[in-house]
Amino acid sequence: MPISNHNRDVVDSLIFFAFVAITALCLSFTFSMIVYQLGLPTNPRSFVLTNLLISACVAIPTGVIASQHEFRLKSYQRRLEALAATDPLTGLYNRRFFKQALEDEVQRMRRSHQTAGLVFFDLDHFKRINDRFGHKTGDLVLQEVAAAAFAELRGPFDRLGRWGGEEFVILLSNVTLEQSALVCERIRERIAALHLEARDEAFSVTASFGTCLLKPGAQIDMTLETADAALFQSKRTGRNKVTSRRAVELAA
């Protein structure tokens, strides 16, 4: 079971503390041995023990302070990385980092020879919600939709991102086109079943989906265009539905 980033930072900080404390003690012990060899102390044993005690009193607090600084620095770096990778409204991958995840998946598929599903979906007539209830309500709707979609995915294996506006993108690892379409149907139904309310008025939203199969050797830009074309077909033929298409592969 992989450890979390927080636990990894704690372990790294403890290791850093041990390194600082042991280094300080070693330096102190070396200094004591040099002084002892010179024959300066009148009571060598007492001198060495006293010197080590004083060194420990200095080394341990120094190690604690240094390790706390290291932990805070790593935590700050993690937060910066998270802010750079996620959409601030929904907490999902932003467009740039989703494309990086997509490239990583293609590299992995070239080794595993598995396939993946690429999905675009967006909310139907979302502008009407903003116009009727305001952008604050629109933002809450996007958060609810993001949570509903995420609930149907398989934890760390699948990726969900906000492509822009009310449009979302999903990467389903190790699935067939049929399986990808089934996942889309479950998400579509979950979104349609959301109970939303604003200004004491209940309302609902629907979403249209386009999915295509990502194969080893597929061209990423072409696959994105194929999924986007499938989404456009869903919207053009009635909305609140799923359309599947097969992406063209690169020639070997």
Side-chain angles (χ1 to χ4, degrees):
M1 179 178 175
I3 62 175
S4 66
N5 288 334
H6 175 78
N7 291 338
R8 185 180 297 109
D9 291 344
V10 171
V11 172
D12 289 344
S13 297
L14 291 174
I15 293 173
F16 189 72
F17 161 75
F19 173 77
V20 171
I22 292 172
T23 299
L25 288 173
C26 288
L27 290 173
S28 174
F29 183 76
T30 302
F31 173 76
S32 299
M33 288 299 97
I34 293 173
V35 174
Y36 174 75
Q37 291 296 327
L38 294 175
L40 296 179
T42 56
N43 187 336
R45 183 174 180 276
S46 176
F47 170 78
V48 172
L49 291 176
T50 302
N51 191 278
L52 287 176
L53 178 61
I54 294 173
S55 299
C57 291
V58 174
I60 292 176
T62 301
V64 169
I65 293 171
S67 62
Q68 286 180 338
H69 175 74
E70 181 74 4
F71 178 77
R72 289 182 183 134
L73 179 61
K74 284 183 175 290
S75 297
Y76 180 67
Q77 289 173 336
R78 300 281 186 197
R79 288 196 295 270
L80 287 179
E81 290 171 0
L83 288 173
T86 56
D87 168 60
L89 177 64
T90 61
L92 304 178
Y93 275 114
N94 60 30
R95 183 169 183 160
R96 181 166 68 91
F97 270 75
F98 185 89
K99 292 188 76 171
Q100 181 60 54
L102 187 57
E103 291 173 0
D104 293 342
E105 180 71 8
V106 170
Q107 292 297 326
R108 187 193 68 81
M109 289 193 305
R110 286 173 179 166
R111 299 189 299 269
S112 65
H113 304 291
Q114 296 173 337
T115 58
L118 182 63
V119 180
F120 273 124
F121 77 92
D122 72 3
L123 301 184
D124 300 325
H125 306 299
F126 183 69
K127 186 176 182 300
R128 296 179 184 176
I129 295 175
N130 282 330
D131 292 344
R132 184 170 183 177
F133 300 110
H135 288 278
K136 184 176 181 179
T137 297
D139 289 346
L140 293 175
V141 170
L142 292 175
Q143 292 172 338
E144 290 287 337
V145 168
F150 187 80
E152 291 292 339
L153 303 182
R154 300 166 300 172
F157 302 104
D158 301 326
R159 300 286 187 271
L160 174 62
R162 185 182 179 195
W163 198 248
E166 69 272 22
E167 189 172 14
F168 298 84
V169 61
I170 306 173
L171 177 62
L172 301 171
S173 181
N174 191 23
V175 297
T176 64
L177 185 59
E178 292 73 19
Q179 290 169 333
S180 180
L182 288 174
V183 174
C184 292
E185 282 291 350
R186 292 201 303 268
I187 297 174
R188 185 191 64 78
E189 291 173 358
R190 184 181 279 264
I191 291 173
L194 288 174
H195 297 289
L196 305 169
E197 185 175 334
R199 300 176 184 173
D200 297 324
E201 181 179 344
F203 66 97
S204 61
V205 294
T206 61
S208 300
F209 290 76
T211 180
C212 70
L213 193 65
L214 183 64
K215 294 183 179 181
Q219 206 171 19
I220 291 179
D221 289 341
M222 184 178 295
T223 306
L224 289 169
E225 290 176 7
T226 303
D228 192 49
L231 168 61
F232 179 75
Q233 184 176 344
S234 288
K235 299 182 79 68
R236 185 171 54 84
T237 57
R239 303 177 188 270
N240 191 24
K241 61 191 299 186
V242 177
T243 300
S244 301
R245 282 193 177 184
R246 296 190 178 273
V248 179
E249 292 182 81
L250 282 175

